[in-house]
Amino acid sequence: MVSEEGMSGAGARYIQMQSEPMPSMISSFFSFRQNPESTRIFEELPKATIVSVSRPDASDISPMLLSYTIEFRYQQFKWRLIRKASQVFYLHFALKKRAIIEEIHEKQEQVKEWLQNIGIGEHTAVMHDDDEPDEETVPLHHDESVKNRDVPSSAALPIIRPALGRQHSVSDRAKVAMQGYLNLFLGNLDIVNSREVCKFLEVSKLSFSPEYGPKLKEDYVMVKHLPKIPKDDDIKKCCPCHWLSCCNDNWQKVWAVLKPGFLALLEDPFNPQPLDIIVFDLLPASDGNGEGRLSLAKEIKERNPLRHALKMDEVHSLTDNRKFLKVTCGNRSIRLRAKSSAKVRDWVAAINDAGLRPPEGWCHPHRFGSFAPPRGLIDDGSLAQWFVDGRAAFEAIASAIEEAKSEIFICGWWVCPELYLRRPFQSHASSRLDALLEAKAKQGVQDIYILLYKEVALALKINSVYSKRKFLSIHENVKVLRYPDHFSTGVYLWSHHEKLVIVDYQICFIGGLDLCFGRYDTAEHKVGDQPPLIWPGKDYYNPRESEPNSWEDTMKDELDRGKYPRMPWHDVHCALWGPPCRDAARHFVQRWNYAKRNKAPNEQAIPLLMPQHHMVIPHYMGISREMDVENKYEDFKQIDSFSTRSSFQDIPLLLPQQPDGLDSPNEESKLNSSVSLLDQPTRANKSISFSFRKSKTEPVLDMPMKGFVDDLDTLDLKGKMSSDVMAQPGIRTSNREWWETQERGNQVLSADETRQVGPCIPCRCQVIRSVSQWSAGTSQVEDSTHNAYCSLIEKAEHFIYIENQFFISGLSGDEIIRNRVLEALYRRIMRAYNDKKCFRVIIVIPLLPGFQGGLDDGGAASVRAIMHWQYRTICRGNNSILQNLYEVIGPKTHDYISFYGLRAYGRLFDGGPVASSQVYVHSKIMIVDDCTTLIGSANINDRSLLGSRDSEIGVLIEDKELTDSYMGGRPRKAGKFARSLRLSLWSEHLGLRGGEIDQINDPVVDSTYRDVWMATAKTNSAIYQDVFSCIPSDLIHSRAAMRQQMAIWKEKLGHTSIDLGLAPTKLESYDNGDMKTIEPMERLDAVKGHLVSFPLDFMCKEDLRPVFNESEYYASPQVFH
């Protein structure tokens, strides 16, 4: 990366030449010398090669009309420019003029110093030999330095007057002359870093920042939409005239920088902070006029013929007045003006090429209609690792934040500054989120950006105003935005629901966990914590019982710990490295910039962000590699479900230099005959996984997959994981049983410990999301998460495992519920039934919605409404899946699909009452055939999946490393990531120890599905019913029956929780006609894990929809589904 340190003593700095008399230029130069540039663009000398020489007319031998195609190289960057001889000639005179001005100035300085030394002129202190110069002092340059920066006038003569001769001889000699001249001025760092030369070379401070991708087009353009930029008056003139008013219309000159993923507008080539940025995103499939896909940029007509006529020297004819271009992306459209029609056409072509060029092709939809392409088709550094429950994920997030060097991005539905990421909290005070961020800000992490959902205060009590205030008080490096503004945007019903933490563009955490109270938990899922050790204050959280009215006194308990259980929280999160991480960061940048423009357009303290890029080293760097990548691609194409209909185009992108301590790539591979790229050494064998102790996050360099644009239905998983897949050389295999002992850094953890943290392994990953105009400023709705769900279900072969906070979906023809996850499940099950094949669908959801209020309370209409839509989806009415399957399959329906919840129990404190609570299922995952995993923030309902409502983000992960397993009683290779996650979840839910994992290796056979899974759920449900008679229950069919049950238990216990979660001190039971009493814990000892059956008959005689005297009756039903 270009250094941003000052270059004191490195020679003269240059300013842009102005068309003014000599005294003004000298005055300007004096001003410059007092305020020198703090940075340079070039830290070493670039190289130039004349590729070709051409002329507009073969019969014209005028040297001034020759055009030169020049190839420039700087570090790992390469670009080409076409320059006319006249342009080089003008550059030469500008440099000569600069040298004259410098020489005059230096002579003046010398005379001034001489006069002062003899006591004439202004008296200044004389610096003695033993005095040290002040740091701000600009050293004087002597005659020799001026001569070194001078370009001899004779150097340009061969360009103007090459030797006469035959046509090819003139071109050849002109080429030699131009090469010699370029070598002359490119051989001096001072000259190369002058503004004139940088403009000639089309370079800026962003040109050679590897994190933003290869160098593309740059130049000055005129814009009208920006606030006034303070400049000298003559800089912003659009034409040489000073006496007409054609320039007084707010057009301003800015430096435009085109990169593969965005167009940035800078005040100056030497200032890297953007004034504006357009992040390229999906374009509509049609422009509305039937002329095909909308272009990112296009030419438009100039409306002012006077201005055009006055600028005839910059156009070819009076009729050619196309000097504008319009760039349209998302809901934004800006106009740019260039000097000529030719420049406009160049910009239009360059912008459209950058927006649609593979592999990213940000303006073209990828598979599932996603903004992001599939990653990991080659060894590009795409890694993934899963975490089950809050303890494992929060520990990893804390470790990553502690290792942050430059950027921390946090995006959440709810973010609590006082959240402890490590427990017990008394011994981990420094792990509190605000303390972590403060420490990193003081250590020099400049960019800490937090994007909060701005809730409707009447509906939610998450108090984002308080969170923003607390975060902003930490340090000036912490920037916070809340969005949306409900009144100005008109958005009241929908929320920003993503959960993202991104550190240094190296690691991204994504999934279901918000950084907020109530989320920290372990596999044990304790219901009590008295005295407080794990959950301090309001982190002891049970939204079914009570939601705090204020979060400001966070260490004060909301619940009486001696009377009420906390609600355990089950969730799944994952970490991503490499290109998928940067795709998620790109989503954050889009959302941040959109919120910035709407909330703080003129607030300088809140900057616009630029997305970073994925790069590979170009072949011309001269590094060799013996591996044949083309053969490797062929292997992938045979077995890779992502590769169907792929367009493998090789794109010469760039790879940043290796960080200190890492070996640089040192081999070259040939991808095809036209372009050679370097393949990055894989880091799959390095241990980058997180343990429960503090670990350092290693940076992982990344490179792009091949060009890829897919239809929505190209996921082909059929047969890909069968045993013959092992013959394919592109897939790694692990026959060792890694589940029992997994290496993590310098320690080996037992099976019980490893269940919460998965292996960190190379995977194929694609970021998917739900966004629209209101949430991210996109021009169209993106529902790639919905498309991915439906496609994966359709392609599933053996089983589907789903955990989700909600399950609200519709069958074909349902006019109310619009997402079609349910339809996809129904069709897949019917296909298996018709083919007489075994197929399982297991769905785990919360037993009750996690909102405040007893189910019979007047204020619990929202809870009942959500229950209505879920039961409508599952088992009640003509739109439910179970009813439709029963009509065809009958009682065997449960062989294909079944529903479950989670429940936990324990004492509230030593010797205290025995309590139970549902384990709130907040995870949003789907595992298909032990080879594909979907993890994210999206619930299965219309709010999350339609794209036009809540904003969501997730990732689809497909395994590349396989391990031995079974499916349907037969040996089969399973994906290491997907299988390990399923085994972790199932062993937790079923209460299995490490040595009992073999019981669930095969998820399909009856010995697993019936004898272990269903039997455990049935037994646990019966025990909980015996001990607690807890709610919900299949024995309660109406609100009247529930009121009766509540009255009985309150009379028996004197006090109970809102869902009957307290046990009596003694249980009465009958044994051979004799009544005996036992301790509740003695009966509960037979419970294994947390799995229980979902009560399908609960409230089956009630219409749970809001009624007219409830405020929810007048709200849009869309709020609840």
Side-chain angles (χ1 to χ4, degrees), residues 199-387:
K199 181 178 182 299
F200 178 83
L201 299 180
E202 292 187 4
V203 296
S204 68
K205 290 296 292 182
L206 293 183
S207 298
F208 309 122
S209 296
E211 64 268 30
Y212 299 127
K215 184 189 174 336
L216 301 179
K217 186 172 178 59
E218 302 183 41
D219 202 355
Y220 278 112
V221 297
M222 304 292 290
V223 297
K224 195 174 184 178
H225 68 285
L226 294 176
K228 185 176 181 180
I229 305 170
K231 289 184 177 181
D232 291 339
D233 215 29
D234 51 356
I235 293 181
K236 62 183 180 182
K237 296 295 183 181
C238 65
C239 60
C241 66
H242 292 266
W243 49 275
L244 285 180
S245 61
C246 63
C247 301
N248 300 327
D249 55 1
N250 298 322
W251 286 95
Q252 302 180 87
K253 181 188 287 187
V254 296
W255 185 262
V257 179
L258 180 64
K259 288 291 183 177
F262 62 87
L263 175 68
L265 302 179
L266 312 180
E267 179 181 350
D268 181 88
F270 288 83
N271 184 354
Q273 185 61 43
L275 298 170
D276 194 10
I277 180 171
I278 292 184
V279 177
F280 300 155
D281 196 53
L282 298 179
L283 293 172
S286 172
D287 62 0
N289 299 320
E291 298 181 2
R293 183 171 293 277
L294 188 69
S295 296
L296 182 60
K298 66 178 182 179
E299 299 180 55
I300 59 175
K301 295 287 186 178
E302 161 66 65
R303 296 183 179 182
N304 189 338
L306 176 60
R307 175 182 294 137
H308 170 77
L310 289 171
K311 295 176 68 68
M312 287 176 54
D313 58 322
E314 297 178 357
V315 297
H316 297 294
S317 70
L318 286 172
T319 58
D320 187 2
N321 60 354
R322 292 173 298 175
K323 294 172 51 184
F324 284 77
L325 65 146
K326 183 168 71 171
V327 182
T328 302
C329 194
N331 67 340
R332 299 191 68 212
S333 181
I334 66 171
R335 291 206 309 169
L336 308 177
R337 194 169 79 212
K339 288 185 176 181
S340 68
S341 298
K343 285 185 176 291
V344 167
R345 287 190 290 269
D346 288 346
W347 271 112
V348 169
I351 291 172
N352 287 329
D353 179 64
L356 296 171
R357 173 190 295 186
E360 283 83 6
W362 296 114
C363 293
H364 197 290
H366 296 279
R367 192 179 55 149
F368 308 129
S370 173
F371 78 108
R375 306 291 189 177
L377 299 184
I378 59 175
D379 290 333
D380 61 0
S382 296
L383 303 173
Q385 182 178 25
W386 53 258
F387 307 96

Side-chain angles (χ1 to χ4, degrees), residues 30 41 70 101 108 219 246 315 321 746 751 754 879 910 975 996:
F30 272 113
I41 291 176
I70 311 172
I101 297 172
Q108 289 178 333
D219 202 355
C246 63
V315 297
N321 60 354
N746 297 323
T754 58
N879 293 295
D910 288 344
E996 301 173 309

